[in-house]
Each structure stands twice: as C-alpha cells, then as structure tokens.
C-alpha cells in the first residue's frame, strides 16, 4: 500500500528504488537492489519474496519483463500484488494485480517504472514519472523528485509515514557492499519525504568524511606518498562536508584538523582544532587517544593542541 519508483540511470548505470507509504518501515520490505544486476519494488499486499527472488533471476540473466512474469506466475495471490523491476540493461517489467486496492496505477518511461496503490488519484504515478524524467542531478535526486511530485499529486490516500531511498552502482563485482551509493530509511515520521530530503545531502557529506578517514596515507600510515593535489582535494571535500553537516556536528572539521596536522600545516590545524574543542572539549582527549593508534605522531598531536589552552 504505497507508491514507488524503480529506475536505471543510463549515464552511470546506477540502479535504484524510491518509495513512500502510510505504513511503518517501508524500507524493510519494499526496496531491493543489487549492483550491476537490477532493482525491485514489491508492494500492495506485499510478497517480500519477490525482492530476493527477483534479484536472483536478474543475476542469472533473466530480463526484467520475464522476471516479473515468472514471479507472478508462481504466486497464487498475485492479483493482490504490485511489482516494478528494472535490470542492468535498462529493461523494465511491471505488474499490477486486478485485486489491488484502489486507486491502483502505474506508469512506464525509459528505464523507469512507477507503481502505486491506495492512491488519492490515478494521476499520482504519471506525476512521479514526469518529475523523475525532467529532474536533474544523480539518480537519488531524481528518485526523490519523483516521490515529491507523487506526494504533491495526492500520494497515498491515507497519508504518509515512512519512506526509503536505495541506490547502487552499475558495477557488478565480488564486493557488492562497496557499491551502495545511497541507503536511507525513514521508518516513522510525519513528513518522511522532507526527512529524506534533509538526510540525502548529509549522507553524501558523511560519505566524504568516511572517504578521508579510511584512506590510508591521509589519516593513517605513511603520509609521504600523498600528492599535494590529493591532499587539497580531500581537505576541500572535508570543508564542503562541514558546511552541509552544519555547526551542530564537528566530525568533518575534526578530521580536517588531523589531516592539516599530518601535512605539517600546524597553524591552520591548531586554529581549527581549538575551535572544535571549544565546541566539544572531550575531543581533546579523543585526539590524544588517537595518537598511539597511528593517526597522529607526537609532532602532529602537538600541532593541533598547541593553541587549545590559549583559546580556552
């Protein structure tokens, strides 16, 4: 009982699902995606098996339309189901059972399918498709634009409660968990799409922070192999992330201070770290605890702590 979008981005190969419903935790039931394989949205009186079984068929090379046919044929209650599937080649399969609760509707575009039931009006799906196809940005942005348009057209007749956004890359490899681009779930919220809109840029910002934290040679290990351009790129990414995250969370600034100290830019590191510690004094002790782990040597630790006492 929801509306959803499954899509492939022709430019990047990314695959994704976006959904909203008046039910708790839609993200645990509806969206399924595997990098370089496909994406599935299973809904209405949901058969969760359609998710993993659909991906299994897609992984074996079965096209999206045939995958839908096989899933529906094997389900005696398929009349109550709704399903949208897109594969890694961009073909689309859809099913809306004759017993889905009204209003039930669907819409199909190039490498995208929209489906919904218990809708305020049948136009909800077409509104989502039009907005998705005209939106710019990455696949996650376009999925969100489609969901917002669907809500603007009336959405779920019962209202809204939960939403989800799942995007994976088009690369198929041995470590699919490294190819998840976006995985956001709002399980219970008065305005779940507004919350998704808030979380999406923050998710990207924290992804940038994590990208620096876990890059060996930047915050850990030998620093000598880090080129100046690479250093500036990561410092810039952390500064941009700090702006998006906002002043209530100094994670990005903390790691930017660490990186500046490791690069020998002592004055910049000290000024930034003093500001961070003024916001949260316990971070001084945290930095001191990181030093023995290889993140900071004695010189770098001294660089980021030298002005803390003066600024306190």
């Amino acid at each position: 009982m929801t509306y959803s979008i499954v899509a492939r981005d022709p430019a990047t190969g990314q695959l994704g699902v976006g959904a909203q419903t008046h039910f708790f935790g839609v993200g645990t039931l509806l969206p399924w995606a595997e990098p370089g394989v496909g994406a599935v949205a299973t809904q209405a009186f949901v058969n969760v098996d359609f998710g993993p079984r659909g991906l299994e068929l897609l992984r074996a090379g079965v096209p999206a339309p045939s995958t839908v046919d096989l899933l529906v044929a094997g389900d005696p209650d398929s009349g109550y189901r709704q399903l949208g599937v897109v594969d890694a080649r961009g073909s689309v399969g859809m099913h809306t059972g004759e017993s889905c609760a009204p209003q039930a509707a669907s819409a199909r575009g190039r490498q995208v399918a929209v489906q919904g039931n218990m809708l305020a009006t049948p136009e909800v799906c077409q509104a989502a498709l039009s907005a998705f196809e005209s939106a710019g940005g990455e696949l996650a942005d376009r999925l969100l634009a489609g969901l917002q348009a669907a809500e603007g057209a009336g959405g779920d007749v019962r209202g809204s409660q939960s939403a989800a956004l799942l995007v994976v890359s088009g690369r198929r490899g041995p470590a699919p968990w490294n190819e998840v681009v976006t995985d956001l779930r709002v399980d219970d919220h008065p305005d779940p799409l507004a919350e998704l809109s808030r979380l999406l840029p923050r998710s990207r910002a924290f992804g940038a922070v994590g990208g620096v934290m876990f890059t060996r040679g930047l915050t850990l290990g030998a620093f000598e192999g880090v080129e100046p351009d690479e250093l500036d790129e990561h410092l810039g990414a952390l500064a941009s992330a700090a702006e998006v995250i906002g002043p209530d969370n100094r994670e990005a600034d903390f790691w930017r201070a660490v990186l500046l100290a490791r690069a020998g830019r002592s004055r910049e590191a000290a000024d930034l770290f003093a500001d961070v510690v003024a916001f949260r004094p316990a971070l001084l002790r945290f930095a001191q605890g990181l030093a023995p782990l290889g993140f900071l040597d004695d010189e770098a630790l001294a660089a980021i702590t030298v002005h803390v006492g003066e600024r306190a």
Side-chain angles (χ1 to χ4, degrees), residues 43-216:
Q43 60 191 57
F45 288 93
V46 61
N47 184 342
V48 180
D49 290 350
F50 281 179
R53 288 182 57 214
L55 291 177
E56 181 181 5
L57 289 167
L58 295 174
R59 197 181 307 120
V62 179
S66 299
T67 291
V68 169
D69 291 343
L70 288 169
L71 293 174
V72 169
D75 182 3
D77 295 319
S78 61
Y80 297 95
R81 317 293 193 200
Q82 201 168 36
L83 182 63
V85 179
V86 64
D87 62 37
R89 294 174 295 278
S91 66
V92 169
M94 305 173 70
H95 167 74
T96 296
E98 67 277 2
S99 298
C100 285
Q103 301 280 341
S106 62
R108 182 197 304 259
R110 179 171 178 254
Q111 304 194 28
V112 55
V114 184
Q115 42 282 319
N117 64 95
M118 292 193 177
L119 302 174
T121 70
E123 288 72 36
V124 166
C125 290
Q126 186 58 51
L129 177 62
S130 297
F132 172 85
E133 291 182 329
S134 62
E138 298 179 17
L139 181 58
D141 300 296
R142 299 170 65 204
L143 290 169
L144 184 54
L147 296 177
Q148 290 168 330
E151 186 67 10
D156 188 322
V157 71
R158 302 163 300 164
S160 56
Q161 183 174 0
S162 67
L165 196 57
L166 175 61
V167 176
V168 298
S169 85
R171 292 182 292 272
R172 189 172 181 178
W177 50 88
N178 289 330
E179 301 297 338
V180 177
V181 179
T182 301
D183 188 0
L184 296 175
R185 298 177 180 183
V186 178
D187 287 341
D188 189 20
H189 195 279
D191 192 347
L193 290 184
E195 183 64 1
L196 273 186
S197 298
R198 184 187 73 86
L199 291 174
L200 182 56
R202 288 174 69 87
S203 171
R204 290 167 172 159
F206 277 104
V209 176
V212 175
M213 287 174 59
F214 298 109
T215 299
R216 190 171 187 88

Side-chain angles (χ1 to χ4, degrees), residues 267 271 274 305-312:
R267 170 58 66 175
D271 288 344
T305 60
V306 64
H307 292 316
V308 172
E310 301 172 9
R311 295 274 299 273

